[in-house]
């Protein structure tokens, strides 16, 4: 459907339904993760997703299509999260000192790592992603995952090993691994 | 650290706080992120459609997707009316809490079953297995309940504030009922539904809440109740005085954005 990101962004800028949905499907999850990491509240993170996507559409016409799409969306998401963070901080203090409130800047490296980890997880094959999710989020052992998924424990072990090798390859740049 | 070492570090979960003698190593931050519910959170269903509606509205096109009329808030406001069925852990916890509880509970039950099976000697009456399994299951329930209380305490959860209204089940859901607590906020009207007896929506279906008045019907969010009874958090961008009736309908995925005729809960939210 989209030979490359430049065509996808062109369709997105034009408001093409399929392009809009493709952008949302590809980036809503990492943006949500950034929002939750930065703000710690689900309702505000949902707002980050929708506002980021709308701002991205507004700016898509001027996007330099020779650049990578993901860092551009991430930058918008982080900016939106900061704005919402400031808004919430102002709302939490008496109005007479509201203008003087200072906001702790969100850690760039932390939100970028959160974005990268989520993006990497999304690129895993679904069966491997299920194993990683049950192991890390669910805290299950390989035996428990095998029971949960109804597959042999050997299958769980091999999927887990493959998945973590893929993750290490995709995320190695964040920890400066050596080849 | 090379890639294989990083893979091992990630797979074993890296450094965990409190582990004796463990020191932090490269990759531990990434392992922590893999354990973070934020890494696994799913966007709201219908988010892409809401985005399309907002784009069309900004371009001055006929929105079509949302049942709103002239003079009402933009489709964006309607789309942004969101619902959150919080499976026991209530507001502030991630939806993934339900997933975590579910898989851990099932795993604990299986472990208890396995322990019982291991302890039962061949030929011993199977009755002997049950006390061990029951004790383990009871322990799971106690620990689970304590965990739930801890979560609620950690969130400093309070009951909803505002004016309460009884919402009745219809012939489609005669055992269902709800109390709607309505609270006007600067950003809109917060509606908290405390729902009881509404069966989980079957796969492929979901519940959608609406407010209705003389000018039409506006959606205020969707939910599924598959985690059991609980509070549903809804937001309305229109005033209860103009849209005094609250309805909950059963919807089928892919059937579009218009309300179905399958009303399961209905009542007034305006005094």
């Amino acid at each position: 459907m989209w030979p490359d990101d430049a065509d996808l962004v062109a369709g997105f800028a034009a408001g093409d339904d399929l392009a809009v949905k493709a952008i949302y499907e590809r980036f809503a999850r990492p943006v949500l993760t950034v929002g939750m990491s930065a703000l710690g509240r689900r309702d505000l993170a949902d707002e980050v997703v929708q506002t980021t996507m709308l701002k991205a559409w507004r700016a898509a016409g001027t996007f330099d299509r020779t650049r990578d799409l993901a860092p551009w969306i991430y930058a918008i998401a982080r900016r939106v999260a900061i704005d919402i963070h400031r808004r919430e901080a102002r709302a939490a203090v008496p109005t007479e000192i509201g203008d003087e409130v200072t906001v702790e800047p969100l850690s760039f490296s932390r939100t970028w790592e959160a974005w990268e980890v989520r993006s990497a997880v999304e690129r895993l094959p679904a069966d491997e992603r299920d194993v990683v999710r049950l192991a890390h989020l669910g805290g299950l052992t390989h035996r428990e995952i095998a029971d949960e998924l109804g597959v042999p424990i050997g299958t769980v072990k091999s999927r887990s090993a493959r998945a973590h090798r893929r993750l290490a390859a995709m995320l190695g740049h964040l920890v400066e691994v050596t080849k | 650290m090379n890639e294989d070492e990083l893979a091992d570090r990630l797979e074993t979960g890296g450094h965990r706080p409190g582990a004796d003698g463990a020191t932090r190593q490269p990759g531990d931050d990434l392992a922590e992120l893999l354990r973070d519910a934020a890494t696994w959170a799913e966007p709201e269903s219908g988010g892409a459609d809401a985005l399309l509606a907002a784009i069309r509205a900004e371009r001055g096109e006929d929105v079509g997707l949302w049942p709103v009329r002239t003079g009402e808030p933009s489709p964006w406001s309607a789309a942004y009316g969101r619902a959150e069925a919080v499976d026991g852990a209530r507001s502030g916890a991630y939806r993934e809490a339900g997933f975590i509880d579910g898989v851990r509970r099932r795993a604990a039950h299986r472990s208890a079953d396995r322990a019982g099976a291991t302890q039962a000697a061949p030929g011993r009456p199977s009755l002997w297995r049950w006390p061990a399994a029951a004790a383990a299951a009871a322990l799971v329930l106690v620990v689970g309940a304590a965990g739930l209380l801890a979560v609620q305490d950690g969130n400093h959860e309070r009951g909803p504030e505002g004016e309460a209204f009884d919402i009745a089940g219809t012939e489609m859901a005669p055992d269902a009922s709800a109390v709607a607590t309505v609270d006007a906020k600067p950003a809109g009207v917060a509606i908290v539904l405390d729902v009881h007896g509404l069966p989980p929506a079957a796969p492929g279906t979901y519940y959608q809440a609406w407010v209705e008045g003389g000018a039409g019907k506006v959606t205020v969010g969707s939910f599924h109740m598959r985690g059991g009874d609980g509070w549903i958090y809804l937001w309305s961008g229109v005033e209860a005085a103009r849209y005094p009736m609250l309805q909950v309908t059963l919807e089928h995925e892919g059937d579009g954005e218009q309300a179905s005729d399958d009303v399961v809960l209905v009542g007034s939210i305006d005094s």
Side-chain angles (χ1 to χ4, degrees):
Chain A
M1 176 63 70
W2 313 105
D4 54 38
D5 281 355
D7 291 322
L8 175 59
V9 174
F12 183 50
D16 177 272
D17 284 13
L18 292 178
V20 170
K21 289 187 174 182
I23 290 281
Y24 189 92
E25 178 62 26
R26 185 163 148 195
F27 292 110
R29 289 178 179 85
V31 171
L32 179 64
T33 295
V34 166
M36 288 174 73
S37 296
L39 301 166
R41 274 174 52 185
R42 174 68 201 222
D43 57 338
L44 298 181
D46 287 334
E47 187 177 351
V48 171
V49 174
Q50 299 293 6
T51 306
T52 297
M53 293 296 168
L54 195 58
K55 282 179 179 281
W57 170 72
R58 287 175 184 150
T62 59
F63 173 67
D64 177 356
R65 293 173 195 170
T66 63
R67 292 172 55 199
D68 286 342
L69 191 50
W72 178 66
I73 299 274
Y74 165 76
I76 297 172
R78 183 170 179 273
R79 186 74 247 168
V80 168
I82 288 172
D83 288 346
I84 291 175
H85 190 219
R86 287 181 174 149
R87 183 194 72 198
E88 293 298 309
R90 284 194 199 100
V93 300
T95 52
E96 57 266 27
I97 60 170
D99 291 339
E100 299 171 11
V101 69
T102 57
V103 176
E104 192 74 18
L106 302 177
S107 161
F108 175 85
S109 62
R110 185 66 178 176
T111 54
W112 176 243
E113 283 182 354
W115 168 281
E116 287 286 84
V117 169
R118 180 61 186 262
S119 300
V121 160
E122 291 303 317
R123 290 198 292 272
L124 290 175
D127 57 353
E128 293 177 16
R129 185 166 58 241
D130 286 344
V131 169
V132 174
R133 183 178 192 230
L134 289 166
H136 291 280
L137 180 63
L140 301 191
T141 64
H142 284 165
R143 162 63 66 191
E144 291 167 339
I145 294 170
D147 289 342
E148 179 72 19
L149 297 178
V151 299
I153 188 170
T155 301
V156 171
K157 287 181 177 177
S158 59
R159 284 180 189 172
S160 177
R162 275 200 306 273
H164 287 93
R165 281 199 299 273
R166 288 188 213 274
L167 289 172
M170 288 187 277
L171 299 172
H173 65 285
L174 296 174
V175 292
E176 298 178 2
V177 298
T178 56
K179 294 287 181 183
Chain B
M1 174 176 275
N2 60 36
E3 265 185 23
D4 288 341
E5 290 168 336
L6 176 59
D8 287 344
R9 193 74 180 166
L10 293 177
E11 187 166 16
T12 56
H15 169 268
R16 288 177 186 270
D20 290 340
T23 56
R24 291 191 68 82
Q25 292 186 16
D28 287 351
D29 285 349
L30 304 182
E32 280 180 13
L33 286 169
L34 285 173
R35 293 194 293 272
D36 189 342
T39 298
W40 303 95
E42 282 297 307
E44 292 182 305
S45 62
D49 287 336
L51 175 63
L52 273 171
I55 289 172
R56 288 173 182 163
E58 276 209 19
R59 296 166 61 168
E61 295 176 4
D62 176 22
V63 173
L65 284 172
W66 297 92
V68 294
R69 292 168 175 76
T70 305
E72 294 177 0
S74 71
W76 182 246
S77 301
Y80 204 72
R82 52 188 178 269
E84 188 164 359
V86 185
D87 301 333
R90 305 289 168 120
S91 175
Y94 299 144
R95 270 174 224 163
E96 285 60 36
F99 161 78
I100 299 169
D101 286 349
V103 295
R104 286 182 181 160
R105 194 178 303 118
R106 286 194 293 276
H109 278 297
R110 289 191 197 102
S111 296
D113 286 346
R114 265 198 292 273
T118 303
Q119 289 166 7
R124 180 176 290 178
S126 60
L127 186 62
W128 284 100
R129 295 171 56 180
W130 287 103
L139 179 62
V140 168
L141 288 173
V142 169
V143 170
L148 177 58
L149 289 172
V151 167
Q152 288 178 329
D153 184 57
N155 290 334
H156 305 289
E157 182 60 39
R158 294 181 303 171
E161 297 176 353
E163 192 171 1
F165 299 90
D166 288 330
I167 307 295
T170 66
E171 288 181 356
M172 277 196 69
D175 296 331
S177 64
V179 174
T181 305
V182 179
D183 188 16
K185 303 277 191 185
V189 181
I191 304 170
V192 179
L193 271 185
D194 189 3
V195 180
H196 295 277
L198 187 62
T205 69
Y206 60 95
Y207 294 115
Q208 187 147 10
W210 310 82
V211 290
E212 184 173 23
K217 189 181 284 189
V218 176
T219 183
V220 291
S222 61
F223 55 96
H224 56 60
M225 300 302 294
R226 292 180 195 130
D229 287 349
W231 291 356
I232 314 296
Y233 293 80
L234 307 167
W235 275 99
S236 172
V238 295
E239 295 175 4
R242 292 178 55 227
Y243 293 79
M245 295 303 295
L246 178 77
Q247 284 186 359
V248 174
T249 57
L250 180 65
E251 304 290 337
H252 292 263
E253 292 177 14
D255 273 3
E257 301 295 339
Q258 298 292 333
S260 77
D261 295 328
D262 298 333
V263 179
V264 293
L265 288 167
V266 65
S268 171
I269 55 169
D270 182 51
S271 54

